[in-house]
Amino acid sequence: MSSRGKKIFLAITIIVPMIIYCYIYYKPIIQNAPFRKKDFVSMEYKWGIKDTLENHYNSATGEYQYVNGADSVIKKKIFLKSDDILYMHGKANEIGLWNFPDTIGKKSEKSMTVPRYDLLFKYKEKTKHVVIYGDFDGNPKLLDAAVQMRKVIDQTLLQAEKRSAK
């Protein structure tokens, strides 16, 4: 067999089937990804001490309520831009929010000052709800990722609040 014939045979028997296999295997995975940016519906973020989550934000309604340093309840209407949503969605993918357990930490009665954060991302077909307790003593990497996601949301809301004040 000639050198050219060997190359054609190699391409037909190994390379072409591998390309077909990759296409067949990965196409449904990419198409059926449950948390796609284009399927994003809304995001809810609540935080507070124990079960009292007096601070909250809902991206669908734009309702933003928080207690400031002087213990005054501040209510505002703040809507996120599509860039903000894209940024948070990208960070959630990067951090691995979709692989988080539903509860990080545990509800305990030992301290009345333990913060709790409640994240809810709604998509057309799926929803991801994560509750983060401040007294988490498990895997430090998971806690770091959860804190990083919380900071991303806090920063995004702060930027949106600054924009709306102008």
Side-chain angles (χ1 to χ4, degrees), residues 146-163:
V147 168
Q148 188 178 2
M149 188 66 217
R150 184 184 59 79
K151 286 181 181 178
V152 165
I153 295 171
D154 286 339
Q155 290 171 351
T156 305
L157 290 176
L158 185 63
Q159 289 174 354
E161 184 179 15
K162 286 179 182 177
R163 269 196 317 264

Side-chain angles (χ1 to χ4, degrees), residues 18-34:
M18 187 63 175
I19 291 171
I20 293 170
Y21 170 78
C22 289
Y23 177 77
I24 291 170
Y25 182 78
Y26 288 110
K27 183 181 178 193
I29 293 172
I30 293 170
Q31 285 182 335
N32 296 326

